[in-house]
Amino acid sequence: MAGNALWSTTIRPGGKWSGTIGRGKLIRFTALEAGANVAIQLYHADDLTERYNMPDSLKAQYTAHYTRGNVLMSDNGRVLASFVEDSLGWHDPISGYSYREATDEKYGTTNYQVERNEWLRSGQENFAVELVRNGLRPRDMMPVVNLFSKVAVDASGTMRYDVDHCSAGASVTLRTEMNTLLILSNTPNPLDPRTEYPSVPVLIEVLQAEPVEDNDYCMNHRGENRRAFENTQEYYTLLGV
């Protein structure tokens, strides 16, 4: 991992954040306590109509979860970000984000007018706020990747959340392959069975990445990954970047 952090912040339980992160950066997420879940959405910062495509990313890489070597493809067949480091081996792309009604039902009804900043936020509300802040609308809500969460499907087709998957200090690092708008919500995974609001603080650091070489692990992880990297390079070559 290259150099010291260019920027860092800690996202409190229930918190949200959004920002544009330039191409060729590392985004390192570290769980400061056990049981973290950070839901993320990714858009091409220079064209917000281009965004992470969950079905294509999973299908092209023959997987139902993400770890080192996997990439997050856009709906234009390019790579928005790659998983370059991962201490857990499993991050959930299938269970979605929490919403208001389910949060109230599971953890008890709260509202901002009474609890102020201590009210129990849902992913749906956090994403809606950050989308509007970035010139988008709630209708632009899209599938998320739940970092730090493991959700496996058993033989009966039931999705099961692993409550012991994420330990304190677990980390995962993404490398941006395009200028990327990252929107995140530090809210519970909707399948987390715990009845106490379990979101924990998460440290986010942005670092400079090394140039991508032809033998890059993520590029060569799957044949479709290489083609997506080639599409990305073509895009920037034609822009003269």
Side-chain angles (χ1 to χ4, degrees):
M1 191 163 296
N4 297 318
L6 304 172
W7 173 89
S8 66
T9 190
T10 297
I11 307 299
R12 64 184 294 275
K16 60 189 185 300
W17 183 86
S18 64
T20 296
I21 302 174
R23 180 189 185 201
K25 300 296 187 293
L26 300 173
I27 315 169
R28 181 168 58 200
F29 301 84
T30 303
L32 300 182
E33 300 173 15
N37 181 82
V38 173
I40 62 171
Q41 298 182 356
L42 299 95
Y43 302 77
H44 179 195
D46 301 322
D47 178 3
L48 294 176
T49 65
E50 182 177 4
R51 54 201 61 183
Y52 162 62
N53 187 308
M54 182 263 278
D56 284 358
S57 296
L58 298 181
K59 177 179 65 177
Q61 297 174 90
Y62 309 102
T63 188
H65 67 274
Y66 293 130
T67 185
R68 179 174 180 261
N70 290 130
V71 304
L72 302 177
M73 297 179 185
S74 79
D75 43 19
N76 284 346
R78 298 190 277 253
V79 184
L80 287 168
S82 304
F83 283 79
V84 294
E85 297 291 344
D86 179 20
S87 71
L88 287 173
W90 191 304
H91 301 271
D92 159 48
I94 60 176
S95 64
Y97 48 83
S98 61
Y99 56 97
R100 180 75 268 145
E101 295 81 1
T103 299
D104 287 345
E105 181 179 349
K106 183 180 290 187
Y107 308 113
T109 301
T110 62
N111 60 68
Y112 177 77
Q113 287 71 23
V114 176
E115 284 86 10
R116 296 298 180 182
N117 287 334
E118 299 306 313
W119 74 297
L120 304 183
R121 295 169 172 85
S122 72
Q124 179 189 42
E125 291 157 322
N126 279 352
F127 283 126
V129 170
E130 295 303 316
L131 286 169
V132 171
R133 283 179 175 170
N134 289 279
L136 296 164
R137 300 181 184 182
R139 71 181 185 183
D140 292 299
M141 205 85 71
M142 54 180 283
V144 302
V145 179
N146 285 304
L147 300 178
F148 302 111
S149 285
K150 180 177 181 179
V151 175
V153 181
D154 65 21
S156 69
T158 302
M159 294 192 296
R160 300 197 181 278
Y161 178 87
D162 184 348
V163 296
D164 298 317
H165 179 60
C166 175
S167 58
S171 67
V172 57
T173 303
L174 302 181
R175 182 181 63 207
T176 54
E177 313 298 354
M178 305 184 75
N179 296 333
T180 300
L181 171 63
L182 173 68
I183 300 179
L184 64 84
S185 178
N186 184 11
T187 41
N189 188 292
L191 297 182
D192 190 328
R194 289 173 290 185
T195 56
E196 291 188 9
Y197 195 81
S199 185
V200 303
V202 173
L203 173 66
I204 304 174
E205 301 167 281
V206 174
L207 307 93
Q208 185 63 45
E210 297 289 347
V212 177
E213 303 290 347
D214 193 59
N215 64 349
D216 181 77
Y217 184 78
C218 297
M219 181 188 297
N220 293 287
H221 187 63
R222 293 288 186 190
E224 290 294 337
N225 290 23
R226 174 169 284 275
R227 282 186 279 275
F229 270 94
E230 291 170 350
N231 291 341
T232 308
Q233 184 56 52
E234 179 184 68
Y235 170 81
Y236 283 107
T237 297
L238 292 173
L239 286 178
V241 178

